[in-house]
């Protein structure tokens, strides 16, 4: 991944609306919920590529699991905020992918969260590392 990811157009973007269930008693998004918003963007990115994760499990016998997360919280999101969960860059290796991701507030473009997430491809039945099936990304 390169350092130009912050200024380049995102690889993928997914909208997020903040509901009561996402917030704490003060109406601020609970910090762990940002992980869900990042996950949704990665899942929807795969879906946009025509990759159904249930089918990947059934046909190829593999699943993707989060291996490592580095996250920085810069500003809070609040009830009713409209956010954008972005994938800014993707690095694919033989058995893992690393994503540079951000969550922005749509109203002012403020970056609320930046994250680096590494997912591993593992066997669905024993969770041992596996190569990512080449056919998944050959389109």
């Amino acid at each position: 991944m390169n350092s130009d990811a912050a200024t380049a157009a995102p690889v993928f973007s997914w909208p997020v609306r903040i509901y009561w269930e996402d917030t704490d008693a003060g109406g601020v998004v609970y910090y762990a919920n940002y992980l869900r918003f990042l996950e949704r963007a990665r899942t929807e990115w795969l879906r946009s590529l025509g990759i159904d994760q249930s089918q990947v499990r059934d046909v190829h016998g593999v699943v993707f699991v989060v291996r490592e997360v580095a996250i920085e919280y810069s500003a809070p999101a609040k009830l009713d905020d409209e956010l954008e969960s972005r994938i800014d860059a993707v690095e694919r290796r033989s058995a893992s992918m690393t994503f540079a991701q951000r969550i922005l507030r749509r109203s002012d473009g403020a970056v609320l969260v930046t994250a680096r997430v590494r997912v591993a491809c593992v066997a669905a039945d024993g969770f041992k590392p596996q190569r990512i099936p080449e056919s998944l990304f050959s389109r």
Side-chain angles (χ1 to χ4, degrees):
M1 287 181 294
N2 63 42
S3 60
D4 296 331
T7 57
V11 171
F12 185 80
S13 178
W14 188 253
V16 176
R17 164 86 67 179
I18 301 304
Y19 299 100
W20 277 115
E21 68 189 32
D22 300 317
T23 65
D24 61 17
V28 173
V29 171
Y30 181 66
Y31 77 97
N33 286 336
Y34 292 103
L35 295 171
R36 294 183 0 201
F37 306 153
L38 296 169
E39 175 77 27
R40 290 175 193 168
R42 293 191 308 276
T43 297
E44 294 301 333
W45 171 70
L46 287 172
R47 203 171 266 146
S48 78
L49 297 175
I51 299 171
D52 177 314
Q53 293 187 72
S54 296
Q55 192 173 34
V56 169
R57 181 192 60 226
D58 296 343
V59 172
H60 298 284
V62 298
V63 294
F64 293 101
V65 297
V66 173
R67 173 85 166 95
E68 179 181 353
V69 176
I71 192 164
E72 182 177 333
Y73 301 97
S74 300
K78 298 177 182 171
L79 180 66
D80 288 330
D81 277 351
E82 291 182 25
L83 309 180
E84 187 176 332
S85 183
R86 288 185 174 183
I87 297 173
D88 292 313
V90 180
E91 176 187 356
R92 187 167 65 103
R93 302 187 76 174
S94 63
S96 69
M97 291 185 288
T98 301
F99 298 87
Q101 292 189 256
R102 289 185 295 166
I103 298 176
L104 296 86
R105 187 171 34 243
R106 285 183 150 185
S107 64
D108 60 5
V111 176
L112 308 180
V113 171
T114 56
R116 182 184 160 282
V117 181
R118 185 164 58 114
V119 300
C121 182
V122 299
D125 59 359
F127 291 94
K128 291 188 179 182
Q130 302 290 309
R131 293 181 78 77
I132 297 171
E134 202 54 46
S135 62
L136 291 183
F137 295 100
S138 62
R139 309 167 224 252

